[in-house]
Amino acid sequence: MQILFLGTSCMFPTKERAQPCVLMIKNGSYLLFDCGEGAQRQLRIAGISPMKIHNIFITHWHGDHSLGIAGMIQSMAGNKRKTALNIYGPKGSKKRVACLLKAFDFKIEYELKVHELDLKLGECRPVLKAKDFTISAFRVKHGSATLAYVFKEADKRKINIEYTKKFGLVQHPVLGKLQKGLDVEYKGKLIKAKDATYIKKGKKIVYLTDTIYFKDLKNLIKDSDILICEATYMSDKEDKALEYEHLTAKQAGMLAKESNAKKLVLTHFSQRYENVQPLIKEAKSIFKNTIEAKDFLILELR
Amino acid sequence: MQILFLGTSCMFPTKERAQPCVLMIKNGSYLLFDCGEGAQRQLRIAGISPMKIHNIFITHWHGDHSLGIAGMIQSMAGNKRKTALNIYGPKGSKKRVACLLKAFDFKIEYELKVHELDLKLGECRPVLKAKDFTISAFRVKHGSATLAYVFKEADKRKINIEYTKKFGLVQHPVLGKLQKGLDVEYKGKLIKAKDATYIKKGKKIVYLTDTIYFKDLKNLIKDSDILICEATYMSDKEDKALEYEHLTAKQAGMLAKESNAKKLVLTHFSQRYENVQPLIKEAKSIFKNTIEAKDFLILELR
């Protein structure tokens, strides 16, 4: 499992940072979260064909999070794509994608499926269920209708080797049954799945950007392995953060702590901060395991 | 006068080349020709604020030539722009810009003036007349309604110093009158403007991309100082060039020669050519003064 940061700026792209875009790769599934301007070029620079992407999750339709969609659609069309592309976004997304198709001169031979998610505040609903993972969305508080996304690897039942060894069980077909959660009888002895196996929780990654801090947020994102969170401003600009409905680095740190995150990755930095180290420091003072997202940073999860 | 190449790729951006975009700067006027995806970021990398741009000339609405417009509009809005932005393009441009505004969540406090140019083939019409220059457009042959643009500096009447010296005229108000093309009487002698002055022709720059070769093209672009021309394919791919309605490097060289250009700048290279030197060589074999456009290349004209 990999997370590749393709864009880590805020509204204005800078020399070092493209607009928001994060790619998660899980067993051959390429999942794009937000698609700022230049996403297709960032992918190419990273050596990844846009053709690999089948699912794009848009938080909201402010341009910095969505301007790159038209280019992705066009490049895929230019490559004579035939397989469907899924775009997930808040209410209104269907109309917006339809407008995009009218704005540019495209010929598309593949299906463009737009999934509109009209969620109530506090509700968290699965939007894509795959064999290995589920992606859910919940609503946050921003001017434009905005979602946050939760990637959750499927939990896996693992064999408790120390326990099964006691029965002389090594590389035996009954282990497969145990792994499916079934009790088995082996050489006249009953082996219960609940004793011979344990559940290894799948990784949880939260993509949270463009919201103010609100009461239920910590519950919606709780126990993440990685919390990818905006840190648009320093806390001395909390008024500005509130005005534009963004989080400060301090609030990101608080959220990581309160929600019991394992690691916090800060992104979506305002262009006013050429050096973002003070923002990282601010969050770190509250939540130690904080790092800075940079364009082309890769996080490997094992 | 400067020409700054901000994007020199074809449909697919590459690591080295962004989608088509050329900036011409003349006495404080910043004129953008085409606006591929990432144009706003390319401008920022070049150290130029998008706020300086008041006129964007779109050849056509294939994405590679126009995807960056929405980002420019958004960034200008984000910077609280109040002055108007002019967008020039072929018939249908008004509807397309209106669709763009509906696709993204924008709040714009400035006027967006879209100038639709519905030209017949062979017709060349001025679309922007300024004190120092005129920009004209003509129609080319491409699948989508497509324009090419001609930037023409105003001609200037200059004093023939050798001639006026004979009358003892150095730094005298009557020189100003001569420069306006008026005949003057000085110390009882008639000095005719036609003898005492000469016309210095303004520079002519042609921006020509996305067309097939056709009979009248050489007349529409004749006597340019700089011909910026697509060279999407090598001539061994002439069939492909015709199929997708593009020019080969050889055809670009022929056009430069036949139209009496002074300098040919090749751009809009297909991604298939990682090294474009063979294309430059092909055009050079026909028209010697040929160079390659690269992203961030600056041409100074004096």
Side-chain angles (χ1 to χ4, degrees):
Chain A
M1 167 95 208
Q2 278 188 329
I3 305 173
L4 167 60
F5 290 83
L6 292 165
T8 58
S9 82
C10 180
M11 178 191 271
F12 302 104
T14 67
K15 189 173 177 179
E16 290 78 19
R17 298 180 190 273
Q19 287 179 339
C21 187
V22 176
L23 180 69
M24 297 189 198
I25 308 173
K26 168 71 185 171
N27 291 349
S29 290
Y30 287 69
L31 311 158
L32 205 66
F33 293 83
D34 275 339
C35 190
E37 185 172 357
Q40 65 160 320
R41 190 171 183 214
Q42 295 293 90
L43 275 169
R44 282 175 193 279
I45 292 171
I48 296 168
S49 165
M51 295 294 269
K52 290 194 169 175
I53 288 161
H54 292 85
N55 297 286
I56 303 178
F57 303 85
I58 298 297
T59 56
H60 63 305
W61 286 88
H62 279 155
D64 46 335
H65 297 259
S66 54
L67 282 163
I69 286 185
M72 295 286 286
I73 294 172
Q74 189 215 25
S75 268
M76 289 171 180
N79 270 323
K80 306 208 180 298
R81 183 187 182 109
K82 302 288 179 203
T83 53
L85 174 68
N86 296 283
I87 297 174
Y88 304 80
K91 197 181 166 184
S93 294
K94 283 184 186 178
K95 213 170 160 184
R96 291 188 185 277
V97 172
C99 286
L100 266 189
L101 297 180
K102 283 183 202 156
F104 300 104
D105 192 354
F106 286 143
K107 276 189 204 104
I108 299 175
E109 292 173 35
Y110 59 91
E111 195 185 356
L112 206 54
K113 292 184 191 168
V114 183
H115 307 261
E116 260 186 33
L117 312 169
D118 189 13
L119 304 177
K120 290 190 193 87
L121 207 65
E123 187 185 1
C124 185
R125 201 195 296 165
V127 294
L128 175 62
K129 286 183 183 183
K131 187 174 157 264
D132 302 328
F133 62 86
T134 301
I135 294 175
S136 309
F138 62 88
R139 182 135 184 203
V140 293
K141 288 190 176 180
H142 194 57
S144 191
T146 304
L147 303 173
Y149 291 96
V150 181
F151 169 95
K152 176 71 175 60
E153 262 183 336
D155 295 340
K156 272 188 183 164
R157 189 181 291 270
K158 296 276 194 180
I159 298 292
N160 182 341
I161 296 167
E162 291 308 308
Y163 186 85
T164 51
K165 257 188 194 167
K166 293 179 193 167
F167 297 86
L169 265 176
V170 183
Q171 285 192 326
H172 192 282
V174 303
L175 290 174
K177 286 188 181 174
L178 285 167
Q179 211 161 8
K180 282 178 187 159
L182 303 171
D183 299 341
V184 295
E185 211 181 278
Y186 179 66
K187 292 186 178 173
K189 283 176 189 161
L190 179 69
I191 308 174
K192 290 194 173 178
K194 77 174 175 58
D195 301 323
T197 62
Y198 62 96
I199 301 297
K200 195 188 165 210
K201 297 276 276 181
K203 301 284 185 195
K204 180 174 175 176
I205 303 161
V206 174
Y207 179 65
L208 176 65
T209 184
D210 288 42
T211 182
I212 54 167
Y213 187 93
F214 60 95
K215 197 172 160 280
D216 290 338
L217 197 44
K218 63 176 183 294
N219 299 321
L220 289 159
I221 62 173
K222 70 181 174 189
D223 299 330
S224 64
D225 291 277
I226 294 185
L227 170 58
I228 301 167
C229 185
E230 68 159 317
T232 310
Y233 298 102
M234 294 277 287
S235 60
D236 64 346
K237 292 275 179 290
E238 203 175 311
D239 286 357
K240 203 171 259 302
L242 205 62
E243 184 188 345
Y244 292 105
E245 294 169 308
H246 284 296
L247 293 171
T248 64
K250 187 179 168 186
Q251 288 172 327
M254 282 161 59
L255 278 168
K257 191 177 176 183
E258 292 168 356
S259 69
N260 192 36
K262 287 201 179 65
K263 191 188 193 83
L264 172 63
V265 187
L266 298 185
T267 185
H268 197 274
F269 305 106
S270 164
Q271 64 163 355
R272 70 173 61 219
Y273 306 109
E274 256 188 70
N275 171 16
V276 302
Q277 280 312 307
L279 289 101
I280 309 303
K281 204 176 157 190
E282 187 174 281
K284 267 192 169 175
S285 73
I286 293 160
F287 184 80
K288 202 177 169 195
N289 194 9
T290 301
I291 64 164
E292 169 197 349
K294 292 181 184 185
D295 286 20
F296 304 111
L297 169 73
I298 295 174
L299 295 183
E300 298 265 5
L301 278 81
R302 286 174 204 282
Chain B
M1 167 96 208
Q2 278 187 329
I3 305 174
L4 167 59
F5 290 84
L6 291 166
T8 59
S9 83
C10 181
M11 178 192 271
F12 302 103
T14 67
K15 189 173 178 178
E16 290 78 21
R17 297 179 190 276
Q19 288 180 338
C21 187
V22 176
L23 180 68
M24 298 190 198
I25 308 171
K26 169 71 185 172
N27 292 348
S29 290
Y30 287 71
L31 311 158
L32 206 66
F33 294 84
D34 275 339
C35 191
E37 186 173 356
Q40 65 161 322
R41 190 171 182 212
Q42 296 292 91
L43 275 168
R44 281 175 195 278
I45 292 171
I48 295 167
S49 165
M51 295 294 271
K52 289 193 169 175
I53 289 161
H54 292 85
N55 297 287
I56 302 178
F57 302 86
I58 298 297
T59 56
H60 63 305
W61 286 88
H62 280 156
D64 47 333
H65 296 259
S66 54
L67 282 164
I69 286 185
M72 294 287 284
I73 293 172
Q74 189 215 25
S75 267
M76 290 171 180
N79 270 322
K80 305 206 179 302
R81 184 186 179 111
K82 303 288 180 204
T83 54
L85 174 68
N86 295 282
I87 298 174
Y88 305 79
K91 196 181 168 185
S93 295
K94 282 183 187 178
K95 214 170 160 184
R96 292 189 185 276
V97 172
C99 285
L100 266 189
L101 297 181
K102 282 182 203 156
F104 301 103
D105 192 354
F106 286 144
K107 277 189 203 102
I108 298 175
E109 291 173 35
Y110 59 90
E111 195 185 355
L112 206 53
K113 293 184 190 169
V114 184
H115 307 262
E116 260 186 34
L117 311 169
D118 188 13
L119 304 177
K120 290 192 193 84
L121 207 65
E123 187 186 2
C124 185
R125 201 194 295 164
V127 293
L128 174 63
K129 287 182 181 181
K131 188 172 156 266
D132 301 328
F133 62 86
T134 301
I135 294 176
S136 308
F138 62 88
R139 181 134 184 202
V140 292
K141 286 188 177 182
H142 193 57
S144 190
T146 304
L147 303 172
Y149 291 96
V150 181
F151 169 95
K152 177 71 175 61
E153 262 183 337
D155 295 340
K156 273 189 184 163
R157 190 181 289 270
K158 296 277 195 179
I159 298 294
N160 182 341
I161 296 166
E162 290 308 309
Y163 186 86
T164 51
K165 256 188 194 166
K166 293 178 193 168
F167 298 86
L169 265 176
V170 183
Q171 287 192 324
H172 191 281
V174 303
L175 290 174
K177 285 188 180 174
L178 284 167
Q179 210 160 8
K180 282 179 188 161
L182 304 170
D183 299 340
V184 296
E185 212 180 277
Y186 180 68
K187 291 185 178 174
K189 283 174 187 162
L190 179 70
I191 309 175
K192 289 194 172 177
K194 77 173 175 63
D195 302 322
T197 63
Y198 64 95
I199 301 297
K200 193 187 166 212
K201 296 277 275 183
K203 300 284 185 197
K204 180 175 176 176
I205 303 160
V206 174
Y207 179 63
L208 175 66
T209 185
D210 289 40
T211 183
I212 54 168
Y213 187 92
F214 61 94
K215 198 172 161 275
D216 289 339
L217 197 44
K218 63 177 185 291
N219 298 322
L220 288 160
I221 62 173
K222 70 180 174 189
D223 299 330
S224 64
D225 291 275
I226 294 185
L227 170 58
I228 302 166
C229 186
E230 68 159 316
T232 309
Y233 298 103
M234 294 277 288
S235 60
D236 64 346
K237 292 276 178 290
E238 202 175 313
D239 286 358
K240 203 170 259 301
L242 205 61
E243 184 189 344
Y244 291 105
E245 295 171 308
H246 284 296
L247 293 171
T248 64
K250 187 178 170 187
Q251 288 172 326
M254 281 162 59
L255 278 169
K257 190 177 178 182
E258 292 169 355
S259 69
N260 192 36
K262 287 200 179 67
K263 189 187 196 84
L264 172 63
V265 186
L266 297 184
T267 186
H268 198 273
F269 305 106
S270 164
Q271 64 163 357
R272 69 173 61 220
Y273 306 108
E274 255 188 70
N275 170 17
V276 302
Q277 280 312 307
L279 289 102
I280 309 303
K281 204 176 157 189
E282 186 174 280
K284 266 193 170 175
S285 72
I286 294 160
F287 184 81
K288 202 178 168 193
N289 194 10
T290 300
I291 64 164
E292 169 198 348
K294 292 181 183 185
D295 286 20
F296 304 111
L297 169 73
I298 295 174
L299 296 181
E300 298 265 3
L301 280 82
R302 285 174 203 282

